[in-house]
């Protein structure tokens, strides 16, 4: 079978809910992936930041194999010898008090919505069924019905209603809008520190600090969705550290397993998670020993191999190099660490054709919306590899 055959199989038997680049990958190592014909590519997407540690990291792979040989799933009906260690290591690393483990990012978001609503009724005294959560325009928090119900993207919401009530949408990056949106029934403000899917949108400096203060002053829980920005991507363990603040609840996922397996978690610095009682929430796979063993090693690798500092330094190098490309098609280069976007001018003809040309030259990246290309390589990328990428990017964007 060749690429064409694999593509035809996918298109024939699969739902067309994605528009992938037509590259059929079969193997990966570090920043590199190979297609079925043996051609090598540099991965500058990292599965939307789920493989921050690089493809098939040998230590994480060993942890997975070792745990798979011992025990994979107990369900939470019983305890296992990985879960408590995972909790403690994650709490120590992130200075959290409690953890609730789930699988996908969207599940972590759903979990936090349930938890803060309960907190609103039990701790804050909001009348039953009246809890409000404030979210931001152009957010991306996942694909479940509740989550797309508070999306402002018409494609995400489409024909999928009716939706869960109780959400209010305000502009991102506007602290005054948050202040004005607060009512006595507000339980939480949920936002991404940097909006990833919206095109790497960085809020004005000081925004998160102001948001932190508004939430504290009004007894509102601050929830940061760090599923994409967390775990080193922006050059800090969590993106909130750039403004020296701490959210009450933090969501992580994606790179929590280094891309081996879906693992997500809600991290709590407040009393919120402590309110959940047996029977109120759960997941068959959440917190399973395989996930915990994997995540423990994925976190160790991130720290011990200096990937967070590398994201900061090599990210600066990457962005500087991008901004030196002389071309009329680039409107703006922006980002933090190795979460980088190149926004093209409206008359450049859209980002997709550039991504396709880059693919032909051996570099994989993806458009977000019409005119933006996101570059988010694994955090193990070296300067030499950035130079390699830049030759191709300059050739394609430079015309
Ligand atoms: C990817 C992502 C999610 C959803 O994670 P899934 O594992 O795809 O459900 C939620 N929030 C943000 C910010 C994300 O980038």
């Amino acid at each position: 079978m060749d690429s064409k055959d694999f593509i035809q199989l996918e298109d024939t038997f699969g739902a067309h809910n994605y528009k992938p680049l037509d590259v059929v990958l079969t193997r990966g190592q570090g920043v590199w992936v190979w297609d079925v014909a043996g051609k090598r590519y540099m991965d500058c997407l990292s599965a939307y930041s789920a493989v921050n540690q690089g493809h098939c990291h040998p230590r994480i792979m060993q942890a997975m194999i070792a745990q798979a040989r011992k025990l994979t799933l107990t369900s939470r009906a019983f305890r296992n010898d990985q879960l408590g260690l995972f909790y403690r290591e994650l709490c120590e690393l992130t200075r959290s008090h409690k953890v609730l483990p789930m699988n996908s990012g969207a599940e972590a978001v759903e979990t936090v919505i349930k938890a803060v609503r309960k907190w609103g009724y039990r701790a804050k005294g909001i009348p039953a069924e009246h809890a409000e959560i404030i979210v931001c325009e152009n957010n991306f928090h996942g694909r479940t019905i509740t989550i797309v119900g508070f999306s402002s993207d018409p494609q995400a919401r489409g024909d999928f209603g009716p939706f869960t009530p109780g959400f209010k949408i305000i502009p991102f990056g506007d602290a005054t809008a948050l202040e004005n949106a607060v009512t006595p029934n507000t339980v939480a403000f949920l936002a991404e520190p940097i909006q990833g899917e919206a095109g790497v949108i960085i809020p004005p400096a000081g925004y998160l600090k102001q948001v932190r203060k508004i939430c504290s002053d009004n007894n509102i829980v601050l929830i940061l969705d760090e599923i994409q920005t967390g775990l080193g991507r922006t050059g800090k363990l969590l993106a909130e550290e750039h403004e020296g603040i701490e959210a009450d609840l933090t969501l992580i996922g994606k790179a929590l397993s280094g891309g081996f397996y879906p693992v997500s978690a809600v991290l709590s610095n407040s009393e919120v998670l402590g309110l959940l009682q047996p029977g109120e929430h759960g997941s068959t796979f959440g917190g399973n020993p395989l996930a915990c063993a994997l995540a423990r090693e994925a976190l160790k690798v991130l720290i011990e191999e200096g990937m967070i500092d590398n994201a900061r330094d090599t990210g600066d190098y990457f962005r500087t190099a991008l901004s030196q490309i002389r071309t009329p098609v680039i409107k703006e280069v922006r980002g933090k660490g190795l979460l980088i976007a190149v926004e093209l001018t409206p008359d450049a003809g859209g980002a997709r054709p550039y991504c396709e040309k880059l693919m032909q030259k051996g570099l994989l990246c993806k458009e977000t919306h019409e005119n933006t290309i996101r570059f988010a390589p694994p955090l193990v990328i070296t300067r030499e590899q950035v130079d390699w990428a830049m030759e191709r990017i300059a050739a394609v964007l430079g015309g």
Side-chain angles (χ1 to χ4, degrees), residues 42-92:
M42 183 183 286
D43 180 2
C44 281
L45 182 66
S46 310
Y48 302 98
S49 298
V51 284
N52 284 0
Q53 296 88 336
H55 288 278
C56 297
H57 192 289
R59 279 178 58 185
I60 309 175
M61 193 194 318
Q62 276 313 312
M64 182 167 200
I65 292 167
Q67 187 61 42
R69 287 210 169 101
K70 281 175 63 188
L71 183 67
T72 56
L73 182 63
T74 56
S75 84
R76 298 287 302 281
F78 312 121
R79 297 178 187 263
N80 71 70
D81 66 0
Q82 291 296 311
L83 186 59
L85 294 169
F86 170 56
Y87 285 168
R88 186 176 70 192
E89 287 162 13
L90 191 52
C91 281
E92 283 173 359

Side-chain angles (χ1 to χ4, degrees), residues 154-174:
Q155 247 197 328
R157 296 164 56 84
D159 292 326
F160 305 124
F163 299 117
T164 312
F167 298 92
K168 195 184 266 183
I169 303 177
I170 63 168
F172 180 65
D174 182 347

Side-chain angles (χ1 to χ4, degrees), residues 121-139:
Y121 302 127
R122 294 302 172 98
K124 194 170 173 176
I126 291 171
E129 306 288 313
H130 280 71
E132 290 170 2
I133 296 171
I134 301 172
V135 299
C136 291
E137 261 167 24
N138 302 316
N139 69 68

Side-chain angles (χ1 to χ4, degrees), residues 18 47-50 103-109 139-144 147 190-197 224-229 251 253-254 262-264 374:
Y18 277 91
Y48 302 98
S49 298
N103 310 284
S104 68
E107 282 177 304
V109 176
N139 69 68
F140 183 85
H141 298 291
R143 297 294 196 170
T144 62
I147 295 171
L190 164 65
E192 302 150 84
I194 295 171
Q195 290 188 324
E197 295 314 294
L224 289 180
D225 179 346
E226 297 241 23
I227 291 167
Q228 187 161 159
T229 55
L251 310 177
K254 293 202 164 114
V263 186
S264 67
R374 174 175 26 190

